[in-house]
Amino acid sequence: EDRRQSRKKRTMKARWVLASRWSSWALLAALGAAKKCAGITPTGVLSVRASSVSNGAVGAEYSLLGSQASFGPVPAMGSGLGGGGEGAMLPPSDDRLLCGSYPGEAGGSKGVMVVARGGCTFELKALNAQRLGASGIVIYGTLGSRYSVNETSGQVLYPKDKFDYDCSYGQATLPPADLDTLALPYDSSNDALLTGSSQANLCVKNSPAFATTCASQRCLLTGADGNACCAWDLHVWLYADPSLHTDAKDQVAIPALYVTMQQAQALLRDIQDPASLVRLRIHSRQRPTYNLSALLIWALGVLVAFIAAKLSAADYRAPMRSPHPSQPLTPTPASSAAQERTYQQATPAQAAHPESLELTPMHALAFILMASSALLLLFFLKVYNLVKVMYAFGCSGALTQVFFYPLYTKLFAKTNRKHYMNQVCTNISICEIGQVTRIELLSALSGYALGLSWLLVAFLLHHPENNAFFWIVQDLMGACMCILFLSIIKLNSIRVASILLIVAFLYDIFFVFITPLIFKGQSVMITVATSGGPPKADPSWCEKYPHDNDCQGGDPLPMLLTVPRINDYQGGASLLGLGDIVLPGLLLSFAARFDEAKKLVGFMRSPDRTPVNRAPHTCPTDSTTGILCASLCNGGYFPPLVIAYAVGLLSANIAVYLMNMGQPALLYLVPACLGTMLFLGKRRNELDELWHGPRVIRAADAMIYGEDHEHQQHDDEFIQSDNAESGSVGSGSAGVPSGTVDDGPVGDVPLLSLT
């Protein structure tokens, strides 16, 4: 009775653990490359070589990073000029902004046009350059392009605060005498008077601190009594001009690139030097087509799933590895009218049953309800920081149990402090924790200290996923959480596994692909997994003000494994949600426990205590067909399922690159893992046994933990119905000891009846 009450408490606690964590597993982050939105990333490169006209000696060779256009072709990846390159072209003297009208169609290789921003759209400049025979165009920023004139009133339209300049980075008040030196309405000839770190810059002249506080070393007039402020000098996206897309022939066919004012300063100096010959070439920046981080996240996911599932069956392996193993099952007198021979363990050494919960079909339905509710609550309430706090504390407990406690146990086992560390140091009545030893206290302090450190980094750093400490600890916490989850939550039949995985499969499909049709294009799953989706503000605004509220978002929630992309200037990371590990992992855990239960029962029956895993079929091994037959029919279930999981996860990984978007990994994992289990069960004539729940697992549980009356009654009813259908007693599946688990004498391990 005490054992039953203890088990009841543990089961209730396990159910609470399951309920509290389903909301976390609901947030399955899609496998893909997560990229932060920190500004407009220069994706192109302009290679420049300036050589002497007289003797061809190279005077300067450098590269400028630039932002590319949404129109025209994307140049090939590369760097440097090699042996080629084109000459530099400047616009006609009467049309410096290249906004006029030019006849002709595409084509030419006269060189790369270099032109100032302003006067007309980027695409019109590119189209005009193409008509003049240019093979590419480089557009550079100017101060003059930030001013315009109202054509109706003739009023000067000055640059906009925060968009074009920011006075907090430097400002100056120009006296009337300095203003008189400027051509107003503003002309680009004024740029030289408001540029640089010397006294030639009127802003530096009137405010010497301007040279050190303004990064661009350029200022813009605000239109307010001679006030001038620090100008922004950042890359901009070369957007298309929809008004030009009326004639199919007028399509830009040359690459376009934008460089900043500071970058253009050196380039224009070389181009305008009559003693220099400048050669240019436009490339896309080098980045790997297939990033190594995708392979690493795949390997990490497979490894964590393998370890977590393998450890979930550790209790079944312990008796077979003990230096003093339990006695084998010994025969007892017949116990029924059917004259069944029964076996019981001679030495009733029972292990304490761990906290666990066996899933039922109701749990599968509870999953879809709780996961959907949690996902929708986060979608509407947007309490993403609360999720981080809950996850940090939950994973701190997992770190304590899975990582630090085993680590300290092994360390102190080799010292003379082992007995001291295992002594009780306190008694905690809260949550029925009870007595706590010194090593348990040390493990808890270490686990929660590491979890709190991770949480502080998450809140204090902007985009912390690039911090090595952050993502390594996050992966460690995620792995520990998966191991702890699979040690508590268990499946004992593929009927429940099928319901759970199919429900999770449909759940994934619905919240990733169907919800955009309901919520105006927003995918609930992706929005929640990325902390509210991408920032609302323009990337150029977020590059200036990354801490603005409208620039927040896009950072993935932490319930995932992450590996930063390697040698990729665009940054980001490859991600794998923990739900994509633990949900298929439940099936892997079931397969591992089934295989080990077979071995344990065979071990206990063997007089020489040798692990036995009886093969239901005999296949020839002298041919390739025979070897394949043996692997399908005679082997365990766990190795093929691990391979199936690896193949399914790899398929999801490949789909990310083929479709250029994140993928719900369960879309590939569920068919791979569940299909493999069903196929092997059918081939081995064990499908019915697996579907209803293998009796060999219950027999192994009875040997190790003991069994209560409720489980015994369930086993008796199952065996009676099975015998009634088969017409004989003990007609179980091949390879599984058939019979019932019966209550033995008081104090004995429950009996395993074998016909």
Side-chain angles (χ1 to χ4, degrees):
E1 181 63 25
D2 290 341
R3 188 175 66 197
R4 289 186 60 191
Q5 291 297 326
S6 176
R7 170 172 289 191
K8 183 176 181 181
K9 289 181 179 180
R10 289 193 298 265
T11 301
M12 291 180 64
K13 184 175 181 180
R15 287 176 179 170
W16 179 86
V17 171
L18 173 68
S20 65
R21 291 175 181 169
W22 272 130
S23 59
S24 296
W25 309 130
L27 306 179
L28 306 178
L31 176 71
K35 300 175 183 177
K36 64 180 182 179
C37 182
I40 297 175
T41 303
T43 57
V45 57
L46 177 67
S47 297
V48 183
R49 179 188 294 156
S51 56
S52 173
V53 174
S54 58
N55 57 20
V58 177
E61 189 166 359
Y62 52 91
S63 296
L64 302 175
L65 300 180
S67 51
Q68 292 179 288
S70 59
F71 53 82
V74 177
M77 289 190 294
S79 61
L81 288 164
E86 290 101 8
M89 297 174 59
L90 293 175
S93 58
D94 58 345
D95 186 15
R96 290 299 185 186
L97 295 179
L98 204 62
C99 293
S101 178
Y102 297 91
E105 298 181 359
S109 56
K110 297 179 181 179
V112 176
M113 182 73 73
V114 180
V115 62
R117 178 185 183 183
C120 57
T121 63
F122 297 123
E123 190 170 6
L124 179 58
K125 291 176 183 290
L127 190 60
N128 285 336
Q130 177 178 289
R131 289 169 176 170
L132 291 174
S135 57
I137 182 171
V138 176
I139 302 173
Y140 61 90
T142 64
L143 295 175
S145 63
R146 311 320 303 141
Y147 300 82
S148 59
V149 177
N150 188 314
E151 295 182 358
T152 302
S153 62
Q155 181 182 5
V156 176
L157 302 178
Y158 285 90
K160 294 182 179 180
D161 185 21
K162 299 296 188 294
F163 288 92
D164 298 311
Y165 63 86
D166 191 329
C167 296
S168 62
Y169 291 100
Q171 62 179 327
T173 301
L174 306 186
D178 287 340
L179 289 176
D180 291 342
T181 63
L182 301 175
L184 298 175
Y186 194 94
D187 186 85
S188 292
S189 61
N190 295 330
D191 285 9
L193 298 175
L194 299 175
T195 298
S197 58
S198 67
Q199 294 290 320
N201 184 340
L202 297 179
C203 289
V204 176
K205 173 184 175 183
N206 292 281
S207 178
F210 186 89
T212 58
T213 60
C214 181
S216 68
Q217 298 183 348
R218 289 164 171 78
C219 57
L220 288 168
L221 299 176
T222 65
D225 299 327
N227 187 46
C229 293
C230 179
W232 287 111
D233 186 21
L234 304 173
H235 290 96
V236 299
W237 183 249
L238 300 181
Y239 47 85
D241 183 358
S243 64
L244 296 178
H245 300 164
T246 56
D247 189 348
K249 295 182 179 180
D250 286 339
Q251 299 293 328
V252 175
I254 61 174
L257 200 68
Y258 180 90
V259 296
T260 65
M261 291 181 278
Q262 286 181 317
Q263 291 175 318
Q265 188 172 356
L267 176 63
L268 292 174
R269 182 176 59 247
D270 289 333
I271 292 175
Q272 294 169 357
D273 184 359
S276 294
L277 176 64
V278 176
R279 307 290 291 179
L280 306 174
R281 174 167 289 176
I282 298 176
H283 303 282
S284 291
R285 293 177 67 180
Q286 293 276 14
R287 62 190 302 256
T289 303
Y290 186 89
N291 200 279
L292 181 60
S293 66
L295 183 61
L296 293 178
I297 198 69
W298 169 81
L300 182 60
V302 174
L303 179 63
V304 171
F306 171 80
I307 293 175
K310 191 75 173 177
L311 291 178
S312 69
D315 286 350
Y316 294 166
R317 292 189 293 273
M320 296 183 284
R321 293 180 177 178
S322 174
H324 302 290
S326 302
Q327 298 295 324
L329 294 178
T330 56
T332 63
S335 59
S336 69
Q339 294 297 308
E340 294 177 339
R341 279 203 310 163
T342 62
Y343 292 78
Q344 70 179 51
Q345 190 172 340
T347 304
Q350 296 181 7
H353 199 298
E355 295 178 354
S356 63
L357 174 63
E358 180 181 336
L359 294 185
T360 66
M362 289 303 298
H363 289 121
L365 298 178
F367 161 74
I368 190 66
L369 178 63
M370 297 180 66
S372 301
S373 301
L375 206 59
L376 290 173
L377 283 174
L378 286 173
F379 180 75
F380 288 110
L381 300 182
K382 306 184 187 306
V383 286
Y384 305 116
N385 287 336
L386 178 61
V387 174
K388 293 181 180 179
V389 174
M390 294 175 62
Y391 182 76
F393 279 93
C395 286
S396 296
L399 282 170
T400 299
Q401 298 181 54
V402 177
F403 183 73
F404 284 109
Y405 182 77
L407 176 64
Y408 290 147
T409 300
K410 289 186 178 295
L411 290 178
F412 286 109
K414 300 178 181 180
T415 67
N416 56 4
R417 307 286 291 177
K418 176 182 178 181
H419 179 70
Y420 174 78
M421 294 301 297
N422 286 322
Q423 290 178 350
V424 175
C425 64
T426 185
N427 194 321
I428 302 177
S429 59
I430 301 175
C431 299
E432 299 182 358
I433 294 178
Q435 296 181 340
V436 178
T437 64
R438 288 184 175 88
I439 195 170
E440 289 173 341
L441 182 60
L442 177 61
S443 301
L445 291 175
S446 301
Y448 282 91
L450 187 59
L452 181 60
S453 301
W454 176 88
L455 186 61
L456 290 175
V457 172
F459 283 126
L460 295 179
L461 292 185
H462 187 63
H463 295 302
E465 65 273 8
N466 295 325
N467 182 277
F469 169 82
F470 180 83
W471 69 264
I472 291 174
V473 172
Q474 178 173 314
D475 287 352
L476 178 61
M477 292 194 305
C480 291
M481 182 64 81
C482 292
I483 293 172
L484 183 62
F485 184 92
L486 293 184
S487 70
I488 295 176
I489 311 301
K490 296 180 178 179
L491 294 171
N492 276 342
S493 73
I494 60 173
R495 177 172 66 95
V496 178
S498 300
I499 296 173
L500 177 64
L501 291 178
I502 291 175
V503 166
F505 174 81
L506 297 176
Y507 159 87
D508 230 12
I509 298 300
F510 177 79
F511 280 104
V512 172
F513 297 113
I514 306 301
T515 51
L517 304 177
I518 303 174
F519 296 104
K520 298 179 180 180
Q522 280 189 298
S523 169
V524 172
M525 179 76 75
I526 295 176
T527 300
V528 171
T530 56
S531 302
K536 299 177 182 178
D538 184 83
S540 61
W541 177 267
C542 293
E543 186 173 6
K544 302 167 189 172
Y545 307 103
H547 296 287
D548 188 90
N549 289 334
D550 288 338
C551 293
Q552 305 309 308
D555 295 329
L557 285 179
M559 286 84 73
L560 46 82
L561 303 180
T562 175
V563 175
R565 295 173 67 85
I566 300 171
N567 294 327
D568 191 336
Y569 67 88
Q570 291 188 343
S574 295
L575 310 176
L576 178 63
L578 298 187
D580 299 327
I581 297 176
V582 297
L583 291 179
L586 288 169
L587 189 59
L588 269 65
S589 171
F590 170 69
R593 291 166 53 238
F594 182 51
D595 290 348
E596 295 299 335
K598 282 184 178 182
K599 295 178 183 178
L600 176 61
V601 171
F603 172 82
M604 301 303 291
R605 294 179 57 206
S606 174
D608 57 355
R609 295 190 285 277
T610 302
V612 176
N613 187 15
R614 291 167 50 191
H617 300 282
T618 301
C619 298
T621 57
D622 56 351
S623 65
T624 303
T625 305
I627 294 174
L628 179 60
C629 171
S631 64
L632 291 178
C633 300
N634 295 348
Y637 286 87
F638 183 56
L641 255 67
V642 172
I643 295 174
Y645 179 83
V647 171
L649 191 57
L650 183 63
S651 300
N653 208 333
I654 294 173
V656 168
Y657 282 86
L658 293 180
M659 301 182 185
N660 198 28
M661 63 179 293
Q663 297 292 309
L666 291 181
L667 179 64
Y668 306 87
L669 292 172
V670 171
C673 295
L674 189 58
T676 299
M677 191 76 174
L678 295 173
F679 174 76
L680 291 178
K682 182 69 174 177
R683 292 287 299 179
R684 298 172 181 177
N685 297 324
E686 295 177 333
L687 185 57
D688 184 67
E689 181 84 8
L690 294 170
W691 183 260
H692 293 96
R695 286 162 290 182
V696 69
I697 290 183
R698 293 197 294 272
D701 287 342
M703 292 177 184
I704 297 177
Y705 312 122
E707 195 64 79
D708 59 33
H709 179 71
E710 294 176 1
H711 282 76
Q712 176 57 45
Q713 185 177 6
H714 177 271
D715 287 346
D716 290 342
E717 292 174 354
F718 178 81
I719 295 302
Q720 289 172 7
S721 63
D722 183 59
N723 292 339
E725 292 175 1
S726 62
S728 61
V729 177
S731 57
S733 300
V736 181
S738 56
T740 63
V741 179
D742 299 320
D743 288 330
V746 176
D748 286 344
V749 178
L751 306 180
L752 174 66
S753 300
L754 301 171
T755 58

